[in-house]
């Protein structure tokens, strides 16, 4: 088969940058929302059917999930940046070898992270001063999630490889299907089978396994460019290092941010189960609201990677400029929505009669919403630099985010209580955006000289 005739892939190096990025982002946005809905559904079902204490138990594992799954999302996205660059350069042998490297790295990550996660998750919960009344429930949830992390890793890897070739639609459909399966399985596991909190985690793992099977079948039938050959399975140290050079810093960057979230969770646990439940519910709503900005960031990374591989630097500049306008516009809409309707959405988690949780949740959504535009810029700068293969500054910016979250946890929560915890994310966004903006400006000037010389 002619490898250039893959109907499922999309060349982002030709055509209107704004249209390409926007239409690439739409299914990506839907996919990211569906991904967030995994956590949303877990929290909603657990909160309504098992009570506030169970909600707090699942909610307090959020930072631990982010610690591991954030690393996975960052690393797999980074590995596929190389795939996108090879596609932009029309290097089809390079694409296939990138699939080999990504597959092996995914397997290694699955084994290592599962072993470490299962072995130390209880100690981490104790270290975080998880309230005794919710400790066992939290452990029963996170140990299953960590044990089945391979399902998440391979689904992310396969989805990112497809997106690297310009197809953002099918990963969205697969994620939607996976979510629907999860929604169907969770009530059965929790209510009919009486499995409680472990049932919610188990249903999620089963749905991820099914999603992986669907994704694999789609690649085999529709994307020959991602089909490896026997001769592709060899060791090329230089190419492996190229994947690791981009992927590992992106993964560690997410983990650095997650460490800040863990420290903040420790401070929250000290405020009691009501504060923990409020933060957990509000974070689910916030997680969905920020998806447009994150989706534009991921889209500009794929767009930048392909155009960098094709050496079309002027298109990168034009695409980034238009993406800033689109993403910042979405950030304003998301902020207005959360500020106006946040309280009513929080009530979906806890029902009537939980005024303190609703009040806290609305405070969180208001404080974060006012800073969404900063986060929109942060994502664009970060993902553009990563699409260019730059890892140092984004990782440094992640360190700044960690420092800001620690300050909020250690200082602000002590003085202002729950409000101090709400300020952690906006402070982190501002702190990280500054070095990213400087690095982006310097990089943009260098690229301008390159295409001006042409």
């Amino acid at each position: 088969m002619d490898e250039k005739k893959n109907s499922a892939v999309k060349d982002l190096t030709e055509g209107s940058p704004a249209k390409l990025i926007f239409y690439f982002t739409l299914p990506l946005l839907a996919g990211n929302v569906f991904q967030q809905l995994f956590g949303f559904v877990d929290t909603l079902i657990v909160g309504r059917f098992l009570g506030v204490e169970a909600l707090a138990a699942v909610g307090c594992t959020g930072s631990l999930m982010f610690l591991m799954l954030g690393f996975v999302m960052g690393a797999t996205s980074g590995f596929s940046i190389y795939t996108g660059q090879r596609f932009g350069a029309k290097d089809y042998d390079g694409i296939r070898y990138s699939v080999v490297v990504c597959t092996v790295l995914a397997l290694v990550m699955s084994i290592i992270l599962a072993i470490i996660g299962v072995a130390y998750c209880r100690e981490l919960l104790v270290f975080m001063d998880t309230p005794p009344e919710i400790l066992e429930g939290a452990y029963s949830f996170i140990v299953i999630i960590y044990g089945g992390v391979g399902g998440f890793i391979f689904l992310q890897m396969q989805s990112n490889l497809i997106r690297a070739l310009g197809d953002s639609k099918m990963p969205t459909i697969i994620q939607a299907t996976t979510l629907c399966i999860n929604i169907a399985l969770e009530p059965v596991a929790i209510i009919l089978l009486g499995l409680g909190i472990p049932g919610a985690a188990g249903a999620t793992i089963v749905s991820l396994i099914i999603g992986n099977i669907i994704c694999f079948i789609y690649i085999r039938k529709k994307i020959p460019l991602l089909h490896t050959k026997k001769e592709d399975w060899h060791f090329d140290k230089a190419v492996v290092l190229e994947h690791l050079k981009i992927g590992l810093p992106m993964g560690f960057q997410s983990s650095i941010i997650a460490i800040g979230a863990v420290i903040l969770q420790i401070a929250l646990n000290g405020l009691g189960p009501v504060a923990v439940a409020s933060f957990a519910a509000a974070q689910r709503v916030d997680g969905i609201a920020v998806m447009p900005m994150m989706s534009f960031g991921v889209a500009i990374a794929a767009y930048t990677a392909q155009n960098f591989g094709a050496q079309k630097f002027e298109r990168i500049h034009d695409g980034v400029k238009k993406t800033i306008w689109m993403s910042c516009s979405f950030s304003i809409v998301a902020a207005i929505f959360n500020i106006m309707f946040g309280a009513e959405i929080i009530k979906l988690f806890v029902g009537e009669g939980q005024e303190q949780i609703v009040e806290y949740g609305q405070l969180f959504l208001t404080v974060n919403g006012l800073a969404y535009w900063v986060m929109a810029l942060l994502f664009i700068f970060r993902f553009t630099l990563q699409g260019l293969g730059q890892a140092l500054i984004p990782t440094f910016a992640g360190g700044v985010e960690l420092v800001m979250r620690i300050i909020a946890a250690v200082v602000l929560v002590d003085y202002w209580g729950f409000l101090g915890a709400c300020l952690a994310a906006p402070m982190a966004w501002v702190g990280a955006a500054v070095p990213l903006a400087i690095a982006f400006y310097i990089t943009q000037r260098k690229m301008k000289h390159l295409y001006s010389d042409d």
Side-chain angles (χ1 to χ4, degrees):
M1 179 183 292
D2 185 350
E3 290 178 316
K4 298 181 182 181
K5 295 179 180 179
N6 287 253
S7 59
V9 304
K10 178 69 174 177
D11 189 348
L12 302 177
T13 65
E14 301 289 342
S16 167
K19 288 183 179 179
L20 286 170
I21 293 169
F22 182 76
Y23 287 115
F24 187 91
T25 299
L26 287 181
L28 189 63
L29 168 60
N32 283 333
V33 170
F34 282 128
Q35 189 166 300
Q36 284 295 317
L37 283 174
F38 274 118
F40 189 97
V41 169
D42 282 336
T43 307
L44 180 62
I45 293 176
V46 169
R48 294 306 295 266
F49 291 105
L50 298 179
V52 171
E53 188 170 293
L55 171 62
V58 173
C60 77
T61 66
S63 56
L64 289 183
M65 289 178 65
F66 182 30
L67 181 64
M68 181 176 289
L69 302 187
F71 174 82
V72 169
M73 293 175 67
T76 55
S77 295
F79 298 151
S80 65
I81 289 291
Y82 183 89
T83 316
Q85 291 175 348
R86 292 301 87 211
F87 179 67
K90 304 298 186 288
D91 177 8
Y92 302 111
D93 291 338
I95 293 172
R96 291 197 309 274
Y97 189 64
S98 181
V99 174
V100 170
V101 175
C102 288
T103 302
V104 174
L105 291 176
L107 179 61
V108 172
M109 281 198 302
S110 298
I111 295 172
I112 293 176
L113 293 181
I115 292 174
I116 294 175
V118 170
Y120 293 103
C121 60
R122 180 181 288 276
E123 284 78 0
L124 285 171
L125 287 169
V126 173
F127 172 76
M128 291 166 59
D129 289 332
T130 303
E133 61 268 32
I134 63 175
L135 176 61
E136 291 305 317
Y139 172 75
S140 68
F141 182 83
I142 195 64
V143 72
I144 295 174
I145 295 295
Y146 275 0
V149 70
F152 185 82
I153 291 173
F154 275 94
L155 186 58
Q156 284 294 308
M157 186 67 81
Q158 291 188 91
S159 298
N160 283 325
L161 286 171
I162 296 172
R163 292 191 188 104
L165 272 57
D167 178 7
S168 60
K169 181 179 179 181
M170 195 59 197
T172 298
I173 295 174
I174 294 172
Q175 286 179 336
T177 303
T178 306
L179 173 66
C180 290
I181 295 170
N182 190 43
I183 292 174
L185 291 178
E186 280 207 19
V188 173
I190 292 176
I191 302 170
L192 296 182
L193 299 181
L195 297 177
I197 293 176
T204 299
I205 299 302
V206 172
S207 66
L208 288 171
I209 293 172
I210 297 173
N212 270 288
I213 295 172
I214 296 171
C215 203
F216 178 79
I217 293 173
Y218 175 74
I219 291 174
R220 296 306 301 174
K221 289 188 173 182
K222 296 294 185 180
I223 315 182
L225 276 176
L226 297 180
H227 296 181
T228 61
K229 302 176 181 179
K230 183 178 180 180
E231 56 267 27
D232 296 321
W233 290 84
H234 61 275
F235 179 72
D236 186 326
K237 181 179 179 181
V239 177
V240 173
L241 290 177
E242 280 296 315
H243 283 76
L244 294 175
K245 186 178 73 174
I246 304 173
L248 288 184
M250 288 178 65
F252 287 129
Q253 166 199 306
S254 297
S255 293
I256 288 171
I257 298 171
I259 291 172
V262 169
I263 294 173
L264 180 62
Q265 186 66 53
I266 294 173
L268 272 169
N269 289 343
L271 298 177
V274 171
V276 173
S278 303
F279 203 82
Q283 274 191 317
R284 297 306 187 192
V285 180
D286 177 74
I288 294 176
V290 304
M291 281 302 103
M293 292 76 81
M294 179 175 289
S295 299
F296 275 113
V298 175
I300 197 64
Y303 173 88
T304 300
Q306 285 196 21
N307 282 279
F308 180 75
Q311 299 293 289
K312 295 186 176 182
F313 303 111
E314 187 172 7
R315 283 179 59 81
I316 296 175
H317 171 76
D318 191 26
V320 169
K321 183 170 63 175
K322 290 180 170 61
T323 304
I324 287 175
W325 282 104
M326 291 187 287
S327 187
C328 286
S329 298
F330 272 93
S331 73
I332 295 172
V333 173
I336 293 173
F337 182 87
N338 271 7
I339 291 171
M340 292 181 63
F341 304 108
E344 295 304 316
I345 301 175
I346 296 295
K347 289 179 183 178
L348 294 175
F349 293 95
V350 296
E352 299 295 333
Q354 299 288 345
E355 287 78 11
Q356 186 66 68
I357 291 179
V358 173
E359 180 182 341
Y360 276 171
Q362 180 63 73
L363 176 62
F364 177 95
L365 294 175
T366 300
V367 172
N368 277 256
L370 293 174
Y372 279 168
W373 67 273
V374 178
M375 183 186 57
L377 294 175
L378 183 156
F379 280 138
I380 292 170
F381 297 151
R382 171 178 287 158
F383 280 102
T384 299
L385 293 172
Q386 290 172 341
L388 294 169
Q390 298 184 25
L392 180 60
I393 296 300
T395 302
F396 173 76
V400 176
E401 287 196 53
L402 170 62
V403 172
M404 291 299 182
R405 292 180 191 274
I406 291 175
I407 292 173
V410 175
V411 180
L412 299 187
V413 172
D414 189 45
Y415 280 96
W416 294 338
F418 192 80
L419 174 60
C422 295
L423 290 169
M427 287 174 54
W429 298 337
V430 172
V434 173
L436 288 170
I438 294 172
F440 173 77
Y441 175 75
I442 294 172
T443 301
Q444 183 177 248
R445 286 181 62 86
K446 291 180 180 178
M447 286 194 299
K448 188 174 181 179
H449 286 304
L450 288 173
Y451 64 74
S452 295
D453 292 341
D454 293 338

